[in-house]
Amino acid sequence: MAGAGLSVDSGIPDFVDIHKALPEIAHLDMNVFEISNDNIFLKDPTFAWGVYGKRMDDYRKASPHEGYYILLRWCLSKTGWWVYTSNIDQHFVRAGFPKDRVVECHRSLYEFQCAKPCCGDVWDGRDVTVDYDEATLAVNGDIPTCRHCGDAARPCTVLAVDGRWLGAYTRQQEERMDKQLADIPSHKSIVILEIGCGVQMRKI
Ligand SMILES: [Zn+2]
């Protein structure tokens, strides 16, 4: 079980400290619940994509650190293991963990969905880049759009305030994990490693 703290050593800031993660817009004095909010992709998608285009670039530059590979060696020496993570950087998969053993409960920044959404489709946004001003995060060109309706797209990741996330795949993964855990004989114990997890998002 892994949270944002695990990837801090990869250079990915804890998004709870939003002003440290996004100093370019600190002067706007918006809190994490206002920026990480599904409504901004509808009300001001250009602003939203300046922020999330920057985040995607920051995440792309970061690589899984040695800790991920240590965990991978441990897991591959055992059977019946699962990774359950709220991290949206796909570092477990990038480090070599089989995708079908990783539950990303907030999915990832690299998959896209319609911001409304107009349908249930989720597509790969890994190679999408956004042209924005490095100093202000103002978008210079086009923003990513839904490949079905043409309106704004957004990352298919759970935002701090979010009633529009498409979570069907994640729920299927959770059900698969729960079923396997339920099949473990009662005389056996489950070991849970909790790494880099906090108990709540705090208001700033
Ligand atoms: Zn759409």
Side-chain angles (χ1 to χ4, degrees):
M1 185 172 292
L6 180 58
S7 283
V8 169
D9 284 343
S10 286
I12 295 176
D14 184 338
F15 201 60
V16 172
D17 194 350
I18 192 93
H19 293 164
K20 186 176 175 185
L22 295 165
E24 300 88 349
I25 57 168
H27 64 283
L28 298 178
D29 200 28
M30 296 173 72
N31 65 42
V32 67
F33 299 97
E34 294 168 311
I35 294 173
S36 183
N37 187 310
D38 60 349
N39 273 320
I40 66 167
F41 284 95
L42 299 175
K43 290 181 177 173
D44 195 350
T46 303
F47 169 78
W49 272 112
V51 173
Y52 282 85
K54 168 74 162 57
R55 285 193 77 192
M56 286 183 69
D57 284 347
D58 287 347
Y59 279 49
R60 266 192 283 257
K61 289 177 201 160
S63 298
H65 57 70
E66 178 60 19
Y68 281 93
Y69 296 96
I70 293 170
L71 291 170
L72 179 61
R73 288 197 294 274
W74 288 355
C75 287
L76 294 182
S77 70
K78 309 291 180 189
T79 59
W81 56 269
W82 280 84
V83 171
Y84 190 93
T85 181
S86 59
N87 291 351
I88 60 176
D89 50 30
Q90 289 191 337
H91 275 194
F92 279 100
V93 175
R94 288 175 61 190
F97 286 78
K99 192 173 171 59
D100 63 357
R101 288 304 189 95
V102 177
V103 179
E104 293 169 323
C105 64
H106 291 170
R107 213 151 172 178
S108 84
L109 267 183
Y110 305 114
E111 293 157 293
F112 286 6
Q113 64 166 81
C114 180
K116 292 186 285 200
C118 69
C119 63
D121 189 32
V122 176
W123 63 95
D124 187 2
R126 185 182 318 272
D127 297 327
V128 173
T129 56
V130 178
D131 181 10
Y132 57 85
D133 184 284
E134 292 278 348
T136 65
L137 304 189
V139 171
N140 296 316
D142 296 332
I143 62 166
T145 53
C146 172
R147 62 183 183 178
H148 298 279
C149 71
D151 287 343
R154 54 163 273 190
C156 183
T157 189
V158 178
L159 305 174
V161 177
D162 200 342
R164 297 182 174 89
W165 176 62
L166 297 173
Y169 174 77
T170 299
R171 283 190 286 275
Q172 287 173 10
Q173 279 286 84
E174 288 175 335
E175 286 169 11
R176 288 183 61 234
M177 182 184 72
D178 289 347
K179 184 174 185 310
Q180 187 170 325
L181 294 178
D183 288 342
I184 294 173
S186 59
H187 66 279
K188 290 198 170 184
S189 298
I190 300 171
V191 174
I192 300 174
L193 300 179
E194 184 178 317
I195 306 169
C197 304
V199 293
Q200 63 181 26
M201 292 187 78
R202 62 182 166 81
K203 290 217 173 191
I204 300 167

